[in-house]
Amino acid sequence: MTDFHSMAKVSVGQILGLVEAVDEVGGVADAATISREVEMDVDRLGPILVAAEFLGLVTVEDGDIRITELSRKLLTAGVRERKRIVREIIDDLPAFRLVMEMARSSSTPLGRQEVVQALSDRVGSHQAEDVFNALVYWGRYAELVRYDSESEQLTVRVAQT
Amino acid sequence: MGDAQPLLQVKDVSKSYFDQGKEFKILDLIRFELAERDFVCLVGPSGCGKSTLLRIIVGLDTPTSGQVLFEGHPIRADNPQVAMVFQSFALFPWLTVAQNVELGLEALHEDPAKRRTVAKKFIDAVGLTGFENAYPRELSGGMKQRVGIARALTIEPLLLCMDEPFSSLDALTAQNLRDEILQLWSNPDLPPEAVLMVTHSIEEAVYLADRVIVLSSRPGRMVAELEIDLPRPRNRKDPEFYGWVDEIYSLIV
Amino acid sequence: MRGLRGRLRIVAVVLILLGIGAAVLFPDAARTVATLPLLAFFSVLRMVAAYVLSLLFAISYGHTAATNRRAATVMLPVMDILQSIPILGFFPFVLLFFVNGPLGDPFGIEVAAVFLIFTSMAWNMAFGVYESITTLPQDLDQAARSFGLHGWLRFRLLAFPAMVPKLIYNSILSWTNGWFFLVASEIITSPGTSYVRPGLGSFIYLAGQRGDIGGIAIGIAALATVVLLLDVFLWRPMSVWSERFRMETTATGERASLHVPSPYERLRWLPRFPRLRREVARRTQPLVDRYARSSAKLDRVYSSHQRVIRAVRRADIGLFLIIFVIVVATGLIGLVGFFQRPLPSEARGLPIAAAFSFLRLLLAYLSALAWTIPVAAWLGRSKWAARFVTPVFEISASIPATALQPLIIGFAVAVTMGGYFAGEIGAYLVSLFAMQWYLLFNLIAGVRSIPGDLDEAARAFGLRGRTYWRRLLLPALVPSLATGSITAWGAGWNALIVAEYLQFGRSVYSVTGLGASLFQATVVTGNYVMGYLTVLAMTVVVLTLNKLLWRPIYKRAAVKYRMDV
C-alpha cells in the first residue's frame, strides 16, 4: 500500500502520455532517451515511471523501459474503455480494498478524517494524506468512488459497465 | 458543400496599437477561409499576434481594419456557434466541473434538466465522468483542460477555437490530450464542424492539422498556407512528418 | 462524542447554579447583568443594519467604479478621500441633520448611529470590491464574454464570486471599525441635551459617568464576548468558505491537495464548535436551495427586462452623482460663506490645536512602536509565546478603544489625582490603544513572513544581536510596518476626536487639540461654524500627511523591501 502513495502526484494523462511516448520510439527505450524526448528531468519523470510500473503498464529493467501487453490494449482503447482497464487494475489494490470494505460495513458515507485515520494505521500518518489524495483522484477517474470536497465525504459508486 | 458559403471568412484583417501617436502594427492583412471539416492551425513565433488574431476571429477584440464573417455575418463574441478554449483553462474556481461545463448552456437559458443531460454527455466524452462534483483546483492540468474542452463542446458549436490549449501542460499530458482531441475530432457525431487552433509548436501543428497557416513576426503576416496530407495517426518519428516540420521552420526563421 | 455533550451540559448546569447563587447574593449586580444580553442584542442589531447597508453600497459602488470608466473618474477620488479622513468628526453634523429632520428623537438618532457605523464600514469594502473586479483575470472575463454571460448571470457567476475573498476580509476589518464607532454613537450629546440609546456602548459610558469601575468592567467583558462569539460563528467560517473563491490554484497544471487548510490566523485558539455549525448548515440548506432556484428565475427576469434594468442602474448611478454634486456644492458655498464673514476668534487657535493633536498622536505612535516591534519579533518566532500570549493580545484587541475610554480616564485620574495631566494621559492612552494593535498584528505577520532560509543564512553568517536586527529583522519588517502605520494613524485620528475631551464622574478633562475644539464647538458652545472649520482643518492635516508622508513611504517599502523577489 505504501507504493500507492507514489500515485498521489501523478495524473492519468501523464501515465498515458508516457506509454504513448515509449510506444512511439518502438515500445522500448532507456530512461534517458524518454527523459530527453518528453523534456522532463528525472525528478519529474521518476514518479510517473514508478506509478506506471506499479500499475503494470511498463516494466523497468536495467534502465530500459518496456511497455506491456496491457499498455497496448490501453493505447488502442477509447476514452471509456481506458477507464474500464484502469478500473480493473486499481480496484484490486489494497488501499481500495480497504476503503471498499469500510464503505460496505458503514451505513453512512465515509468522512475524510475517518479514512485518513484508517490509512495512517497502515502506511503511517505522514503518507496517509497522500494515499488519500491518490485514492480520490484515481478512484474518481476509474468511477469507483464519489467524493464531495465540501462535506469531505466519500461514497462508493455502483459500477456502471 | 461544393462552392457554398465557407464557415468562416477572415478578410484582410489588420490590427494596430497606438501609443503616443505612434502606430504599432500587430497584424497585417490576414486573409483566409475555413470550411466544414477543416482542422487548421495558426503557427508563428511569439510576438506574431496569433493570439490577438484568434480573439479578433471570435469577436473578443476588434480589428483596426478588415472584417471577420461567420456564415456570412459579422462575428459577435457571444455567438453560440463559436466556442473558445483558453491556454490558462479559464475555469471558474468556485464552480464544480459540472457547473463549469454547464456555463454556456446556462447563458442560453436552457432548463436545468436539459443542461444536466447535455453536460453529462460531453463530460463523459472527454473522460471526466467521476469528477463532476470536483472543483478545478482538485484536478490535474490535463483534467482542467478537459473541462475547458467539454465546456466549449457543450454549446455544440460549429467552430471550435483553441488558444495554445496544451502549452500550460507538461509534455506527457499534452501529448495524451492531443491524441484525445483527435479521437473526439474523428467522431462525426460530436461537434464541432471545424477547428481553428493557435500554437507556437510547429510539431504540434503538423501532428494535428489538415492545414497550417504560418505567420511571420512583427507585424504578423501570412507567410504560407500548407495542406498537411499525412494520414492519421501520424508518427512524429516519420521522415515525411519531419519534412513538414523542417519546411515550416525554414519559412519562419 | 456523547461524552462531550454530556460534559457541556454539566458545565452549563454548574454555570446556571452559580449564576443563581450570585444573583441571590448580589441582587443589584444581577439585575444589571440580566439586561446585558438585551443591550448586546440592540448593539449587534445596529451593527448588522449598518453592515447590510454597507454591503449593498460597497458592491454597487465598487462594481460601478470598476466597470464604468467615466463614473470612476469621480468615484475613485471620493472613495480615496472618504476612506482616509476621520469620519467621526462629521458625526455632529450628521446628527444635526437626522435629529432635526422629520424623524425626530429616538428614530432619527438610531438612523444617525447606523449611518455613522455605515460610513466607517462601507469604504474599505467598496475598495475591496473595486480591487477584485479590476484584478479579475482577463481570460476569465473573456471566457464569460465568449460564452455569453451577461447581466445578472455574469454578476452571479463571475463578478460576485470573484469579490468574495476581499469582501469577507474587508468585512472583518469593517466590523472592527464598526465597534469603535458603535460605542461612540450610542451616546449623543449636543448643546443642552444628551441622548442615550440602549446598548453596550452606552452601558459602559454611563458606568463611566457614575465612576463605577465594576460596571465598566462588566460592560467591556460583555462587549468582548460578543466580538469573540461573532468571530467563532460568523467570521471564521465565512473566511474559510471564502478561500474557495481564490484564483491562484486554477491556472496551473498542478493538482492541489483536496483539503485546503485555512489561512485564517486570527483567534485560532478559540473552540470552533464544528458539530453545532454543521447542524446550522444543515438546517439552512433549504434556504440555500431556494436561493439557487429563485436565482434561476431571476436570470430569466433579468434577461427579459434587460433594458429596464439598465435604465434603473443608470438612474442609480445618476442619483448618486447628483447627490454628490449637491453635497460638494453646498460644502463649497458654505466655505465661501465662511470666508466672507469674519472668522470666529477661536479659529486662530486651530493651527496650534492641530500641532498639539499631531504631537500627541506621534507620541502614542512612537511608544506603540517601542513595545510592538520587540514583542512582535518574539511572538513571531516563538511557538510557545504565540500559543499562550497571542490570545491575551487578541482579546485585548477585540475591545474597541472607545469602550476602554472610561476605564482609561479613571486610571489617569487616579494616577494624577485629578490634575491637568489626567486629560493629557487619558488622551494619550486612548490614542495608544487605538493605534497599537494594528501595528502589533501587522508586525507579527511581517516576522512570520521572513523566509526560513534567510533567517538561517543570517544565523549561519553569525549575525547576532544588533547586527541581526539592523541587517535582517528591521528591513524585513518595513512593508508590514508601513501597512500597519497607515491603518494605525487612521484609527488614531478618529480616536483623538473622542480622546481629547474626557469625562469621569462629574469632572471634565479637556486638553488642547482638534478633537477637543470640535467637542467644544459642537457640544458645549454650539458654534457650528467653528466645528465645521475644525473638521476641515483635521481633514486637511490627514490628507496632507497621507499624500506627503504615507503614500511615498508605502510605495518605497513595497518595492525595496519585498520578500518575494
Side-chain angles (χ1 to χ4, degrees), chain B residues 48-81:
Chain B
C48 70
K50 52 192 188 299
S51 282
T52 311
L53 177 59
L54 194 70
R55 276 165 176 71
I56 290 173
I57 289 171
V58 299
L60 286 169
D61 206 341
T62 49
T64 313
S65 67
Q67 209 182 9
V68 177
L69 297 180
F70 184 78
E71 294 190 305
H73 302 288
I75 192 80
R76 288 174 40 141
D78 55 0
N79 185 347
Q81 309 292 317

Side-chain angles (χ1 to χ4, degrees), chain C residues 286 288-298 300:
Chain C
V288 177
D289 292 344
R290 193 176 303 163
Y291 162 76
R293 273 199 301 276
S294 59
S295 94
K297 247 180 251 158
L298 208 55
R300 270 197 295 277

Side-chain angles (χ1 to χ4, degrees), chain C residues 62 76 79-80 83 122-132 170:
Chain C
L76 278 183
M79 183 154 65
D80 204 33
Q83 198 186 5
W123 297 107
N124 79 60
M125 285 160 66
F127 204 73
V129 170
Y130 171 78
E131 268 190 337
S132 315
N170 284 307

